[in-house]
Amino acid sequence: MEKGKRHVSLKDLANEIGVSISTVSRALNNHPDISPEVTRKIQQLAAARNYTPNPLAMGLLKQATRMIGVIVPDLVTHFYSSIISGIEQVAEEKGYYILIASSNETLQKEIKAVNNLLKTRVEGLIVCLSQETRSYEHFDRLIQNQIPLVFFDRVCRMGEVPTVVVDNEDAAQKITRHFYRNGFRRIGYIAGPDHLSISQERTRGYLSGLKSCGLEFRPELLEKCNLSSNDAIEATGRLLSLPEPPDAIFGINDTIAFAAMKEIKSRGLRIPEDVALVGFTDEFHSTVVDPALTSITHPTFEMGQEAARLFFKRIENPEAKPDQVVLNTKLVVRKSSVK
Amino acid sequence: MEKGKRHVSLKDLANEIGVSISTVSRALNNHPDISPEVTRKIQQLAAARNYTPNPLAMGLLKQATRMIGVIVPDLVTHFYSSIISGIEQVAEEKGYYILIASSNETLQKEIKAVNNLLKTRVEGLIVCLSQETRSYEHFDRLIQNQIPLVFFDRVCRMGEVPTVVVDNEDAAQKITRHFYRNGFRRIGYIAGPDHLSISQERTRGYLSGLKSCGLEFRPELLEKCNLSSNDAIEATGRLLSLPEPPDAIFGINDTIAFAAMKEIKSRGLRIPEDVALVGFTDEFHSTVVDPALTSITHPTFEMGQEAARLFFKRIENPEAKPDQVVLNTKLVVRKSSVK
DNA sequence: TTGAAAGCGCTAACAG
DNA sequence: CTGTTAGCGCTTTCAA
C-alpha cells in the first residue's frame, strides 16, 4: 500500500502477490474458476492487510449505496430516537447504513433534507412528516421516480407509500373511556395541527370515546396547538382558565403532556385531584415525573423495525401494493389519572 | 436519461447537448475556458434536469467521502442526541454528512462500530467512549493510520487526540459545596466505573469539594455503579440503607440522577427534606420531575459543535498539536437541594 | 485457470 | 475554447 493511502485495494493485493486484479477479485468472491491454493493465498493476504471492499466503487458499479435516509421531526425526543434505533437494527442486519436528518418540524428543512439525502444517493427514504408539512410535492417526486419511500407515525399518500402507524383512534378512545370510568366528566384534549394524520385520528378517537360514554362534546374543551412546549403550555392555560375548566386532560404527545403537567402544577393545581392527566409518552419518562403519568406507550422500537422491514420489502418488490402496518398501543395506568 | 436510472449524469447532459463530457464538467464548475454561452446553456440544462454530482464518483476520485462517523454510547439519551445535533449543524455547514452508530455502552459494539464506519470510508470519527472501554487498540489503529479522530465527554489518549470535555472536577466541586452551604453534611456520591475519565474527574472534584468545606471523606458514602438505571437504583439503595445514611446525594449523570430519585421516593423518603439530590441533567427533564432537580447542565449542543470544529481543524491541519477544549458547566439550583 | 478491457461518474492533464 | 484520455476501485464479459 502506498503511503498516504488509508485503505488497501485489490490492486495492492494483486501487485503484492503478482497476479491480476481480476484474479484477486474472483478469489475473494470464491469464484470456482480460481484454483483453491491461489484463492487461499489471496484470501489470507487480504485478511492480513485488512482489506475491505471500497463501497464507493461498489456503489458506482452497482448503482446501490446500501444507505437509507431517515428524516425525523427532531432528534432529541425519545420517541424518535427509539424509532431510529429500531430502524438501525434491521438495517444493520441487512448490511445497510442509515443517514439521519432532522426536519426540526419545519417544511423547509424537510424539503432540504429530502434533497440532501437524495444527493448522497441513498437508496430510499424512511420519513416522519414535520408538523408543518401539508403539501407533498417533494415526496411525489420520489414516488414518480420509484425511489423507495416509507412513512411512519405522521403519514400521507397512503395507498401509494407503505406506512407504519399506531391505532391512534383506538388509543384516544382508550384514554377517554379510562377517564370516564374513573369518574371524570369534563374531559379536555390538547390536539395538534389539523392536517397531521395522527392529530385527526386521535381527535376522532376522542370524539367517539366521548360518544360511547354518553358524554356530550364541548368544543371549548378541545384545544389545538403546534407541537412546541410553549404553545402547549398556553393551550393548557386556556383550558384551565375556562369558566368551567376540565377535570381531566389528555395531551397528544410527549412534549405536550409534560408541558401540560408543568402548567397545571405552576397554577397550584393538584394532579389528579384537581385535574387528571394522561399523555402519550414512553415508559421511562412517565415514571420519573410526579405524579407518575398514565400514558399511552408506543411500541417505538418495533415501529422502527417495521418501517425498515417495509423499506426492504419495497426494494425487493417495488411493484407490490404498499403495506399499511398498524401497531397497537397500550394504556398504562399510573397515578396521574386515578383519584 | 435512460429509464431505470434515477440520477442524471454528466454523460446524459453531454449527449443531450452534443458536447463532450469534459465540457459539461467544466461548464458546471465555471471553468473560465468554456465560452459563456455554452456555459449558460449547460448550466440551464443541468438545472432543468435536476443534475447533482454523484458523490460516489467524487469520493472515488478525490478519496474523500465527506462523511464523518459518530459513535455514542446510546441514542436515546438527551445528552447524546443533543450533542449529535451540534455535530450535525457544523458538519452540514461544511457540506459533510454524519453517520451515527451506537455502542450501546459495550466495548464489543464499539469496536464493531469503528470497523463498520471505516468500511464505509468515513473520513474520520467523533467518539464518546462506551462505559466498558478500557483498552484502546481499536483507536490506536486509527491514530497510527492518521485517520482523524476526536473524543468528547469520555475520552482517552489525550495529547494524541483532540478532545472536548467539560470541567468535571469543577462541576463536582460546585455540587459538593452547594450541598455544604445548604446545611448538608453527609454528602453521598454515586460514581461510575473507575476507568472513565469523567468518573475519575468528578470523584476528584467530590473529594476536593469535601476538603475545601472541611468535611471528612467517608468511603461508605462513595458508591459506584455501572451507568445503567438498575445498577444506580441498587447503589442508591445501599446508600440509603447505611446505618448513617447520607442527607444529600449526587449522581454522576442523567440516568443515575433519575434512578436515584425513583429509589428515594419508593422508600417513602422526601426530597430534599430527608435526602437532597443533585444530578447532571438537561434543562428540560430537570424541571419536569418533582421536585425540580438541581443539576449541572452541560452545554451539550456546544460540545457537539466544538467536537465537529476540532474534527475539521484536524482534517485541515493533521500535524498540529491536538486541542483539548474544556467547556464550563452551570449549577442550576432548584428545589431538590434546598430545604 | 487466468488476464485484459470496459464501464460505473467524475476530474484533470494533455492535445489540439 | 473544446475534446481525448487516464484513472479512482471494483465486477464482469470476452479472450486466451
Side-chain angles (χ1 to χ4, degrees):
Chain A
M1 179 165 70
E2 307 141 41
K3 71 163 198 156
K5 266 181 64 173
R6 274 159 196 169
H7 295 280
V8 191
S9 68
L10 288 189
K11 197 182 180 181
D12 297 321
L13 300 178
N15 287 338
E16 192 164 345
I17 299 203
V19 292
S20 76
I21 295 178
S22 22
T23 301
V24 178
S25 168
R26 284 191 268 248
L28 294 180
N29 291 309
N30 286 309
H31 193 105
D33 275 0
I34 306 294
S35 75
E37 41 173 346
V38 176
T39 299
R40 201 189 40 75
K41 207 167 82 183
I42 293 179
Q43 291 190 346
Q44 264 179 7
L45 183 69
R49 292 283 171 279
N50 244 311
Y51 169 80
T52 58
N54 185 324
L56 298 181
M58 296 293 250
L60 247 195
L61 199 62
K62 300 274 182 62
Q63 301 289 13
T65 52
R66 299 187 90 72
M67 303 226 295
I68 311 172
V70 176
I71 305 177
V72 289
D74 75 75
L75 266 179
V76 299
T77 305
H78 181 271
F79 180 72
Y80 296 114
S81 23
S82 172
I83 287 177
I84 289 175
S85 297
I87 296 176
E88 196 169 40
Q89 193 230 302
V90 174
E92 210 214 314
E93 285 169 12
K94 294 264 187 183
Y96 273 67
Y97 286 85
I98 64 178
L99 224 43
I100 302 168
S102 159
S103 67
N104 255 308
E105 295 282 18
T106 71
L107 173 63
Q108 193 206 337
K109 282 210 72 183
E110 182 174 282
I111 294 177
K112 202 171 160 198
V114 170
N115 291 334
N116 279 338
L117 288 172
L118 284 187
K119 270 194 214 160
T120 69
R121 269 49 175 181
V122 292
E123 291 185 28
L125 255 36
I126 299 179
V127 180
C128 175
L129 298 177
S130 95
Q131 68 157 304
E132 275 184 17
T133 307
R134 24 164 102 239
S135 69
Y136 310 112
E137 293 105 39
H138 49 310
F139 295 117
D140 290 337
R141 266 179 11 232
L142 305 193
I143 298 173
Q144 276 164 30
N145 287 317
Q146 308 243 42
I147 296 177
L149 180 60
V150 173
F151 288 120
F152 67 88
D153 198 49
R154 306 185 194 154
V155 306
C156 67
R157 298 288 185 256
M158 299 172 72
E160 298 173 72
V161 178
T163 56
V164 186
V165 294
V166 292
D167 191 338
N168 286 298
E169 183 165 350
D170 171 70
Q173 230 181 70
K174 277 184 203 157
I175 295 179
T176 314
R177 287 179 165 161
H178 165 76
F179 276 142
Y180 184 80
R181 273 199 309 277
N182 283 273
F184 301 100
R185 292 297 178 266
R186 291 187 58 77
I187 300 171
Y189 166 47
I190 304 176
D194 261 344
H195 58 279
L196 283 188
S197 52
I198 49 169
S199 190
Q200 288 173 13
E201 292 160 16
R202 289 176 196 174
T203 304
R204 218 173 313 143
Y206 169 65
L207 296 176
S208 62
L210 288 179
K211 202 170 197 175
S212 76
C213 298
L215 292 176
E216 198 186 337
F217 166 58
R218 317 218 168 211
E220 73 273 20
L221 292 182
L222 196 170
E223 268 294 342
K224 258 166 221 155
C225 68
N226 69 36
L227 302 173
S228 77
S229 201
N230 284 339
D231 216 47
I233 285 180
E234 285 178 24
T236 310
R238 286 194 296 274
L239 283 180
L240 298 177
S241 304
L242 247 30
E244 292 181 279
D247 56 4
I249 294 180
F250 80 91
I252 196 186
N253 72 10
D254 246 52
T255 315
I256 290 180
F258 288 134
M261 184 172 259
K262 274 192 202 178
E263 179 62 15
I264 294 172
K265 284 185 185 174
S266 84
R267 295 197 171 211
L269 297 172
R270 290 160 308 160
I271 305 174
E273 290 80 1
D274 301 316
V275 194
L277 185 64
V278 169
F280 281 71
T281 59
D282 66 279
E283 198 62 31
F284 183 77
H285 291 106
S286 303
T287 55
V288 80
V289 295
D290 193 73
L293 188 67
T294 296
S295 65
I296 289 283
T297 58
H298 284 74
T300 46
F301 194 78
E302 290 82 354
M303 275 184 88
Q305 292 180 309
E306 202 50 55
R309 283 192 207 110
L310 290 187
F311 182 87
F312 288 115
K313 230 171 154 176
R314 200 76 186 146
I315 285 201
E316 284 151 23
N317 189 357
E319 306 304 335
K321 195 165 151 292
D323 289 329
Q324 318 269 98
V325 174
V326 179
L327 300 177
N328 283 314
T329 57
K330 224 171 48 191
L331 177 72
V332 182
V333 178
R334 301 197 187 82
K335 294 203 176 155
S336 72
S337 64
V338 183
K339 273 192 208 172
Chain B
M1 179 167 66
E2 307 143 41
K3 71 165 198 158
K5 268 181 59 172
R6 274 155 196 171
H7 295 279
V8 191
S9 68
L10 288 189
K11 196 182 180 182
D12 297 322
L13 300 177
N15 287 339
E16 190 164 345
I17 300 200
V19 292
S20 77
I21 295 177
S22 27
T23 302
V24 178
S25 167
R26 284 190 270 250
L28 294 179
N29 291 308
N30 286 310
H31 193 106
D33 276 359
I34 306 294
S35 75
E37 38 173 346
V38 176
T39 299
R40 200 190 38 76
K41 206 168 80 184
I42 292 178
Q43 291 188 348
Q44 265 179 5
L45 183 68
R49 293 280 172 281
N50 244 308
Y51 169 80
T52 58
N54 185 323
L56 298 181
M58 297 293 251
L60 247 195
L61 199 61
K62 300 275 182 59
Q63 301 289 15
T65 53
R66 299 186 92 73
M67 304 227 293
I68 311 171
V70 176
I71 305 178
V72 289
D74 75 75
L75 266 178
V76 299
T77 303
H78 182 272
F79 180 72
Y80 297 115
S81 24
S82 172
I83 288 177
I84 289 175
S85 297
I87 296 176
E88 194 169 41
Q89 192 229 303
V90 174
E92 209 214 312
E93 284 169 12
K94 294 266 186 178
Y96 273 65
Y97 286 85
I98 64 178
L99 223 41
I100 302 167
S102 159
S103 67
N104 254 306
E105 295 281 20
T106 71
L107 173 61
Q108 193 208 337
K109 282 209 73 180
E110 182 175 284
I111 294 177
K112 201 172 159 195
V114 170
N115 291 334
N116 279 337
L117 289 171
L118 285 187
K119 270 193 213 160
T120 70
R121 269 48 175 182
V122 292
E123 291 185 29
L125 256 34
I126 299 179
V127 179
C128 174
L129 299 178
S130 96
Q131 66 156 308
E132 276 183 17
T133 307
R134 23 164 101 237
S135 70
Y136 310 113
E137 293 106 40
H138 49 309
F139 295 117
D140 290 337
R141 266 180 10 233
L142 306 192
I143 298 172
Q144 275 165 30
N145 286 317
Q146 308 244 41
I147 296 177
L149 179 61
V150 173
F151 288 119
F152 66 88
D153 198 48
R154 306 185 195 155
V155 307
C156 67
R157 298 288 186 258
M158 300 172 71
E160 298 174 70
V161 178
T163 55
V164 186
V165 294
V166 293
D167 192 336
N168 286 300
E169 182 165 351
D170 172 68
Q173 225 180 77
K174 279 184 201 157
I175 294 179
T176 313
R177 287 179 163 159
H178 165 75
F179 276 141
Y180 184 82
R181 274 199 309 277
N182 282 273
F184 301 101
R185 292 297 177 265
R186 291 187 58 79
I187 301 171
Y189 165 47
I190 303 178
D194 261 344
H195 57 277
L196 284 186
S197 52
I198 49 169
S199 189
Q200 287 172 13
E201 291 160 18
R202 289 177 197 172
T203 303
R204 217 175 313 144
Y206 169 64
L207 296 176
S208 62
L210 288 178
K211 200 167 197 175
S212 76
C213 298
L215 292 176
E216 198 187 337
F217 165 57
R218 315 220 170 209
E220 73 274 20
L221 292 181
L222 196 172
E223 268 294 340
K224 260 166 218 156
C225 69
N226 70 35
L227 303 173
S228 75
S229 201
N230 284 339
D231 216 47
I233 285 180
E234 285 178 23
T236 311
R238 287 194 294 276
L239 284 178
L240 297 178
S241 304
L242 246 31
E244 293 182 278
D247 57 4
I249 294 180
F250 81 90
I252 196 186
N253 72 10
D254 245 53
T255 314
I256 290 180
F258 288 135
M261 183 171 260
K262 275 193 202 176
E263 179 62 13
I264 294 172
K265 284 186 187 175
S266 83
R267 297 199 168 209
L269 298 171
R270 290 160 310 160
I271 306 173
E273 291 81 1
D274 301 314
V275 194
L277 185 65
V278 169
F280 281 71
T281 59
D282 64 278
E283 198 62 31
F284 183 77
H285 293 108
S286 302
T287 55
V288 80
V289 294
D290 193 72
L293 189 68
T294 296
S295 65
I296 290 283
T297 59
H298 284 75
T300 45
F301 193 78
E302 288 83 354
M303 274 184 88
Q305 291 180 310
E306 202 50 55
R309 283 192 207 108
L310 290 187
F311 182 87
F312 289 115
K313 231 172 155 178
R314 200 77 187 146
I315 284 200
E316 284 152 21
N317 189 357
E319 307 304 334
K321 195 165 149 294
D323 288 329
Q324 318 268 96
V325 174
V326 179
L327 300 177
N328 284 314
T329 57
K330 225 172 48 191
L331 178 72
V332 182
V333 178
R334 301 198 185 82
K335 294 203 176 154
S336 72
S337 65
V338 185
K339 275 192 207 174

